[in-house]
Amino acid sequence: MQKADPQNPDVTVITPTSPMTPSTHGGRAKCLQRLVRLDLPVPRTVALSFAAVHDIAAGIMPDVPALLASFDEGALLCVRPSSQDPDWGGPGAILNIGMNDARYVELSDEMGADSAASLYMRFVQSYAIHVARLDPDTFDEIEDTGRDGLSAALQAYEEEAEEPFPQDPVVQLTEVLRSMARAWEGTTARLLRQARGAPADAGLGLVVQEMALGLGQGTGENGSGVLQLVDSETGLQQITGRYLSQSQGREALEQGTASLYLTRDPRGPSLEEIAPEAFAQLVAHAELMRVRLRAEMQIEFTIENGQVHILDGVRVQRSSRAAVRIAVRLADDGIIPRQEAVLRVEPRGLSELLHRQIAPEAVRDVVGYGVAASPGAATGRIVFSAAEAQASAARNEPCILVRRETSPEDIRGMHAAVGVLTERGGMTSHAAVIGRGLGLPCVVGAARMKFDLKRRRITTEDRRTLKEGDIITIDGTNGQVLAGAPEMIEAVLDDSFQTLMAWADEFRDIGIRANADTPADAATARNFAADGIGLCRTEHMFFDADRITPMREMIFADAPEDRQAALAMLLPMQRKDFTELFRIMEGLPVCIRLFDPPLHEFLPTDRAGLRDLAEALDLPVSDVTRRVEALQEYNPMLGMRGVRLGITVPEIYDMQARAIFEATLDASHDGDPVVPEIMLPLVSAKREVELIRTRIEAVAAEVRTRRGQDFTYRLGVMVETPRACLRADEIAPHAHFLSFGTNDLTQMTYGLSRDDAGRFMSEYVQQGLFGEDPFHVLDVEGVGELVATGVERGRSTNNQVTLSICGEHGGNPESIAFCRAVGMDYVSCSPFRVPVARLAAAHLAIRNQTL
Ligand code: PEP
Ligand code: MG
C-alpha cells in the first residue's frame, strides 16, 4: 500500500488497490478509486479516513509535510469532503492550497500575471472566509480584479487577521484540514446532516487532490465544467452540463457566468466546437463510468492546455420521473439486474409522478400549513361551499373548496373542485380519505389560519386576508397553502413507469388492492393494476341528488312497509352501482362493505335543508326538526353505526345483499364469473356476525331460487374495534376473511378522534410525543400489537381465513412492511397510492430475498 503518511495508514494515496470503503473513507474517496481503477485521468489524490479526520478535529494532526510530499513539488492542491453518503453534505471544497507569493511569481510567467493573480486572490478569499473565519463582507466587497484585487485581498487579510497571509503550504494545508474537520463536528452541521438522514455520529473523510488548473495562456484550451449523459429533470438521454473557459471548480454553474453549452447549440458556442477532442474524450469517459459504476454519473472535469482531467464523479441529481427512466434504461442495457432497478426508485417519490406538482424552481408564496393529506398540487379560486364549487366547475373555473371540515354532503363539491383545504381534520378525516380516493390534492387541519366562513375569507398565518374568488394553490404533498398560481409540472405515466411497475409485480409477494367506491375509482384502480377492490364504502353511493331523498324517506319511515318502499327505490340503483363495479373489475375480487355511518349523517343540517325535506316528506318542518334531533348522538362514531345498524334496521343490509347478488348474476352473464365479497363493519362480537350471516344467507337463497341461477360469495368481517382483535379466534370461524380497519382501530386504541386529531397532531409530532401521526403510519407497538393478536388468533381457529388491511395505512410503505411481516395476504389503499404500495411491496420482497 502506498502511504501518504508513512506512520499513518489512515492517510492513503488513492490507487487501484488501496483499502478503501464508503464507510471508512466516504463515498467520494471510494468513487475516485473506482475512476482510478478505470484508468481515467484523475489527478493524484490522497484520502484521509473518518478516523484521521476525527483525530484532526481533536487536535491530532497527521504528518502534513509527508502528505505534501506525495504530490509534485509546487503542486496546488484542493481539499474536498467525503461523507459516507454524498447526500449528507459536508464543508465546501477549498481550492488552490499551496499558492503563495513565490508560486504567484512563477505562475505569472507560465499563465500570465492576471490569471495567476486571480487564482491567488480566490485562494486568499476562500481561506480568509472558511479557514481563518474572517468577516466575509470585507472580502466579498473587493471589486478590483487582477493584481489590484490580489493586493487588496492580501492587505485586508493582514488587517483582519493581524498577521500576514500564511505562505507555508504546510501551514495552509494544516489549517484547511483542521477547519474542515472541525466544521463537520459542529452542532449546525450535525443537525443539518441528521435532517438529511445521517446518523448523529456519521464520519467525514477528506480527499486532497492535485489541481489541474483550468487557467492559463497555453495554446490548448483551459477551463472547467460538469457533464452528464442524461437530463436530471426528465431522465432522457441528453448530454447536459456547462463549461467555462479559464475557470475552476464548479464556477461554470454559477449564475451570470459566460459559460458554454457542451454540445452544439443554436443559442451559442459550445465545448464541442471549441475543443472537439476534449469533448469526445469526456463523453467516452462518462459512458465508461455509466457502465462500470452502474449509474448515471455527473463528472466534474478540468481541461488544462487541451488535456482532460476528471476531478470527481457523483451520481446525477434526479427528479422522481428521471429516477424511473434512468433505472429502467440501466436494466434494459444489461448494466444492472431488474431487481436493482426496482430498488433504485424510492416508492414515496412515485406520488410525484402520479400528480401535478409545483415546478421545483417556482417561487412559493407560502401563507399557511396543514396536514399533507392527499398528494399533488392544485391552483384555483377559493370557494366556501360545495354548491359554489359545482357552480364554478360549470363555469369551467378551477376552484379550491375551503371548508371547516367536509362531510358526506360535500362530496359532489369535492368532485367539482380541483383541491380541498380544511381547517380541521387529520390523515383519516373525511376530506383526507375522499381526497386520496379521488386523487384530489388535499390539505387538512390548517388550523393556524383563521377560517371565517360567514364573511367568506381566510386570514393567513402571516395575517394576509384571502377572499372568496382569490386564487390560491395547495400542495397536498407537503401541506403548504400558497397565494397565487406558481408554475406546475404535469403528471406522467410513461412506458418506463409501466415497465418498472411490471417488474415490481414480478417480485412482490403481497397483494395490493384499492379502496374504491365509484366506477371512476374502480377505473383508476384498474389503471394502476390493483389486484382487486379491498374496500368499497357503500355509503358514498347514497349522496347523489336522486338517492338522498329515498334514503331520507327510509330513515324517517315509521312503519316497515314505508321503509321497504323507500328501500325498493334504492335497490335498483345499488344493483346498477355494483354491476358497474364488477364489470370494470372483470372478475378481480371486489369487497363491498355494507352500510357503516350513523344515519343522521344523511339528514340536513341547515334550515333550508330541513324545509326541503319537510316538503319532500309532506310533514311540518317542526316534525322533521324533532325527528332529526332525536337521531343525533353524543358520540356518533361510537354509536348506532356499522353492524349495529345492520342489527337494528336489518332491511338496509337485506337490500344491499340483494343488490350485490343480483348484480353478481347480471355481471357474470357477460364476463368472468364474479365472486363478491361482503364485509361487515364495526363488529365487536361474534354473535353480530352470526345474526347477519343468517339473514344474508336467506337473501342469497331467495335470489338463487327466484333467478334460478347459482352463485357463491364470501362473507368477511372488518376488524376495527379492539374487542374484535382480541376475540378474532371466535369471529374467524364465521368469516372467509378478516380485514383490519386500522383507521377506526387507531382511533379506538388511542382514544383519539380521527376528525379532531389534526388540531394538535403536528404539535405532538414536533414535540416528539408521537414519532409519526398514527393515522398516517401504523403504530406498530400499540395498534400493531392488536393487529398481530387478531391475525394470530384469527388464523388459530380458521387457517384458511384471508387476512388484509384496508385502513389508510395500507398505502404507507412502513405499514406495508408490518402487514407483510405478520403474514397478511394483501393490503388495500386509495387507488392513487396503489403504485407506491406495489413498489414498496417489491422492495420488501427483494430485500428479503437478498438477506
Ligand atoms: C377503517 O376504519 O380503517 C376503515 C377502513 O373504514 P372507514 O375509514 O370507512 O371507517
Ligand atoms: Mg372504519
Side-chain angles (χ1 to χ4, degrees):
M1 174 177 59
Q2 210 172 345
K3 286 179 207 151
D5 175 348
Q7 307 305 318
N8 190 346
D10 284 323
V11 180
T12 318
V13 175
I14 299 185
T15 66
T17 53
S18 37
M20 202 153 286
T21 66
S23 56
T24 55
H25 291 78
R28 174 169 271 134
K30 185 67 207 171
C31 181
L32 283 168
Q33 184 180 47
R34 292 192 174 123
L35 304 188
V36 169
R37 284 182 185 154
L38 295 179
D39 229 1
L40 293 177
V42 178
R44 193 171 177 77
T45 310
V46 168
L48 281 76
S49 72
F50 295 174
V53 176
H54 190 66
D55 280 352
I56 294 172
I60 307 165
M61 291 305 292
D63 184 346
V64 176
L67 200 169
L68 272 173
S70 315
F71 297 98
D72 290 340
E73 202 177 333
L76 298 187
L77 305 177
C78 77
V79 182
R80 275 177 286 156
S82 177
S83 53
Q84 183 165 344
D85 180 332
D87 289 344
W88 298 347
I94 306 271
L95 313 184
N96 301 316
I97 300 158
M99 196 63 191
N100 55 20
D101 296 350
R103 284 297 284 141
Y104 167 58
V105 173
E106 287 163 18
L107 283 177
S108 295
D109 286 346
E110 286 172 33
M111 61 168 60
D114 279 348
S115 295
S118 100
L119 199 151
Y120 192 6
M121 179 177 166
R122 275 183 241 179
F123 177 48
V124 175
Q125 281 176 313
S126 68
Y127 189 95
I129 297 169
H130 301 293
V131 181
R133 309 229 164 248
L134 305 181
D135 179 7
D137 290 347
T138 314
F139 294 88
D140 289 343
E141 278 162 11
I142 299 173
E143 279 176 6
D144 290 332
T145 54
R147 271 164 283 191
D148 292 345
L150 173 61
S151 316
L154 285 168
Q155 198 184 334
Y157 186 94
E158 194 159 344
E159 277 165 20
E160 288 274 320
E162 297 178 3
E163 61 182 19
F165 186 74
Q167 296 293 308
D168 183 351
V170 174
V171 174
Q172 293 175 353
L173 182 57
T174 303
E175 291 309 317
V176 167
L177 295 176
R178 201 189 332 256
S179 81
M180 289 174 82
R182 291 214 174 131
W184 181 254
E185 309 256 321
T187 312
T188 320
R190 184 170 46 76
L191 291 176
L192 211 68
R193 64 179 176 266
Q194 277 180 280
R196 293 173 180 161
D201 60 350
L204 177 74
L206 292 172
V207 294
V208 184
Q209 191 174 59
E210 184 160 338
M211 299 222 11
L213 292 183
L215 299 167
Q217 292 177 322
T219 45
E221 174 62 24
N222 284 290
S224 64
V226 296
L227 175 145
Q228 61 191 51
L229 301 174
V230 290
D231 181 286
S232 286
E233 203 44 59
T234 63
L236 291 171
Q237 282 171 300
Q238 186 184 332
I239 295 174
T240 26
R242 303 295 265 175
Y243 173 77
L244 184 61
S245 282
Q246 304 294 335
S247 78
Q248 294 189 308
R250 298 174 80 87
E251 285 169 14
L253 297 177
E254 284 166 16
Q255 293 281 329
T257 56
S259 56
L260 306 188
Y261 298 100
L262 295 183
T263 49
R264 283 170 209 285
D265 196 300
R267 290 168 293 177
S270 67
L271 180 64
E272 190 173 10
E273 286 153 304
I274 63 162
E277 271 178 34
F279 173 77
Q281 271 179 36
L282 281 166
V283 173
H285 293 332
E287 280 167 355
L288 179 69
M289 281 163 70
R290 172 175 189 262
V291 173
R292 300 291 291 278
L293 305 191
R294 307 162 71 245
E296 289 291 353
M297 303 292 288
Q298 183 188 65
I299 56 180
E300 193 177 307
F301 64 91
T302 294
I303 301 178
E304 191 180 53
N305 203 12
Q307 293 294 312
V308 168
H309 299 271
I310 307 284
L311 310 185
D312 202 3
V314 287
R315 280 188 168 213
V316 298
Q317 294 282 331
R318 66 201 67 192
S319 67
S320 299
R321 162 186 351 201
V324 173
R325 284 215 177 106
I326 289 172
V328 169
R329 212 172 32 244
L330 285 170
D332 277 345
D333 291 349
I335 296 171
I336 56 173
R338 288 179 176 180
Q339 282 98 323
E340 199 168 330
V342 169
L343 288 179
R344 287 206 185 172
V345 178
E346 190 41 48
R348 266 177 240 283
L350 282 189
S351 64
E352 267 178 43
L353 297 179
L354 308 173
H355 301 278
R356 296 182 89 202
Q357 296 292 327
I358 297 177
E361 65 284 356
V363 179
R364 289 172 176 249
D365 182 6
V366 180
V367 297
Y369 292 88
V371 177
S374 174
T379 299
R381 292 186 186 282
I382 296 176
V383 297
F384 287 98
S385 74
E388 285 155 21
Q390 286 177 283
S392 178
R395 293 193 302 272
N396 261 338
E397 263 178 26
C399 66
I400 304 285
L401 176 60
V402 177
R403 304 284 291 153
R404 214 171 282 295
E405 58 197 331
T406 61
S407 69
E409 281 173 321
D410 292 315
I411 287 186
R412 273 169 294 143
M414 292 178 76
H415 273 286
V418 294
V420 177
L421 169 65
T422 69
E423 181 184 22
R424 298 190 189 141
M427 272 312 276
T428 60
S429 61
H430 180 265
V433 172
I434 301 293
R436 284 195 294 275
L438 297 175
L440 185 69
C442 188
V443 173
V444 301
R448 283 188 302 236
M449 303 205 297
K450 282 214 171 57
F451 287 56
D452 187 346
L453 267 62
K454 263 205 192 118
R455 295 206 185 88
R456 303 187 163 263
R457 63 185 188 200
I458 308 172
T459 309
T460 64
E461 286 187 28
D462 57 356
R463 308 248 156 271
R464 280 187 262 172
T465 303
L466 295 171
K467 302 180 306 300
E468 184 172 38
D470 285 353
I471 291 191
I472 59 165
T473 297
I474 58 163
D475 187 340
T477 311
N478 62 15
Q480 289 179 348
V481 182
L482 305 95
E487 196 195 327
M488 298 272 188
I489 49 172
E490 294 301 325
V492 267
L493 295 182
D494 55 17
D495 289 351
S496 306
F497 173 83
Q498 305 293 5
T499 306
L500 189 88
M501 295 312 296
W503 293 345
D505 287 347
E506 280 171 31
F507 301 119
R508 73 178 156 90
D509 53 12
I510 184 167
I512 311 289
R513 294 198 197 176
N515 294 352
D517 307 337
T518 62
D521 290 347
T524 310
R526 284 306 308 267
N527 193 22
F528 289 148
D531 299 323
I533 292 179
L535 172 64
C536 168
R537 294 173 162 106
T538 48
E539 56 272 16
H540 296 154
M541 296 168 163
F542 294 102
F543 281 97
D544 281 353
D546 57 340
R547 300 181 182 200
I548 190 92
T549 305
M551 187 67 194
R552 287 172 173 167
E553 283 175 18
M554 190 276 294
I555 295 169
F556 269 70
D558 276 331
E561 314 82 71
D562 293 345
R563 180 162 291 148
Q564 288 295 359
L567 285 166
M569 287 177 70
L570 293 171
L571 174 73
M573 300 175 187
Q574 278 267 270
R575 187 170 52 223
K576 185 164 157 286
D577 294 331
F578 299 138
T579 311
E580 236 177 304
L581 284 188
F582 294 148
R583 287 199 173 128
I584 293 169
M585 297 310 289
E586 292 183 303
L588 291 174
V590 176
C591 177
I592 296 167
R593 178 179 76 184
L594 300 184
F595 197 85
D596 182 35
L599 288 179
H600 73 80
E601 280 195 12
F602 291 85
L603 298 176
T605 46
D606 57 7
R607 277 205 67 78
L610 287 167
R611 207 178 39 237
D612 285 352
L613 181 57
E615 254 167 31
L617 297 172
D618 199 17
L619 288 171
V621 175
S622 57
D623 235 29
V624 171
T625 311
R626 209 171 331 107
R627 303 270 284 279
V628 168
E629 277 166 7
L631 275 167
Q632 299 294 340
E633 292 173 287
Y634 284 109
N635 211 335
M637 289 304 275
L638 299 178
M640 258 275 276
R641 56 169 283 219
V643 73
R644 298 165 196 167
L645 205 54
I647 300 276
T648 46
V649 191
E651 298 90 338
I652 304 176
Y653 281 11
D654 288 352
M655 179 279 286
Q656 289 197 297
R658 184 180 309 279
I660 292 169
F661 296 140
E662 291 177 359
T664 298
L665 291 173
D666 291 350
S668 298
H669 268 318
D670 41 32
D672 298 300
V674 174
V675 179
E677 299 179 350
I678 299 179
M679 181 154 75
L680 309 179
L682 216 77
V683 165
S684 55
K686 85 169 173 182
R687 198 68 195 119
E688 292 168 325
V689 186
E690 285 174 339
L691 281 178
I692 302 286
R693 190 166 102 162
T694 310
R695 281 193 82 104
I696 289 180
E697 272 169 5
V699 174
E702 203 247 324
V703 173
R704 285 192 187 105
T705 315
R706 207 158 34 82
R707 291 282 198 102
Q709 285 168 299
D710 200 10
F711 58 85
T712 51
Y713 68 96
R714 286 158 57 83
L715 184 75
V717 167
M718 201 159 171
V719 181
E720 52 182 343
T721 64
R723 193 176 192 283
C725 293
L726 298 171
R727 308 305 290 174
D729 46 351
E730 281 179 353
I731 293 170
H734 303 283
H736 290 103
F737 61 91
L738 300 180
S739 188
F740 289 83
T742 44
N743 301 336
D744 270 306
L745 190 58
T746 300
Q747 166 164 269
M748 294 189 211
T749 306
Y750 276 86
L752 181 64
S753 158
R754 289 162 67 164
D755 300 306
D756 301 309
R759 284 195 186 195
F760 55 84
M761 190 55 76
S762 51
E763 195 88 18
Y764 252 57
V765 173
Q766 263 164 23
Q767 290 194 30
L769 289 142
F770 293 167
E772 297 275 355
D773 178 346
F775 288 111
H776 187 182
V777 180
L778 186 75
D779 158 46
V780 171
E781 291 165 357
V783 181
E785 187 170 342
L786 278 171
V787 172
T789 305
V791 165
E792 189 199 311
R793 294 190 182 172
R795 279 252 157 89
S796 73
T797 52
N798 178 358
N799 63 10
Q800 295 299 307
V801 74
T802 304
L803 297 167
S804 64
I805 181 179
C806 60
E808 287 306 311
H809 305 94
N812 170 261
E814 289 95 332
S815 312
I816 297 171
F818 171 83
C819 296
R820 185 175 170 275
V822 297
M824 288 197 190
D825 298 285
Y826 69 85
V827 301
S828 189
C829 56
S830 307
F832 280 89
R833 298 175 92 187
V834 164
V836 176
R838 285 163 65 200
L839 187 58
H843 276 209
L844 293 166
I846 295 169
R847 292 224 167 88
N848 202 246
Q849 281 164 15
T850 50
L851 276 181

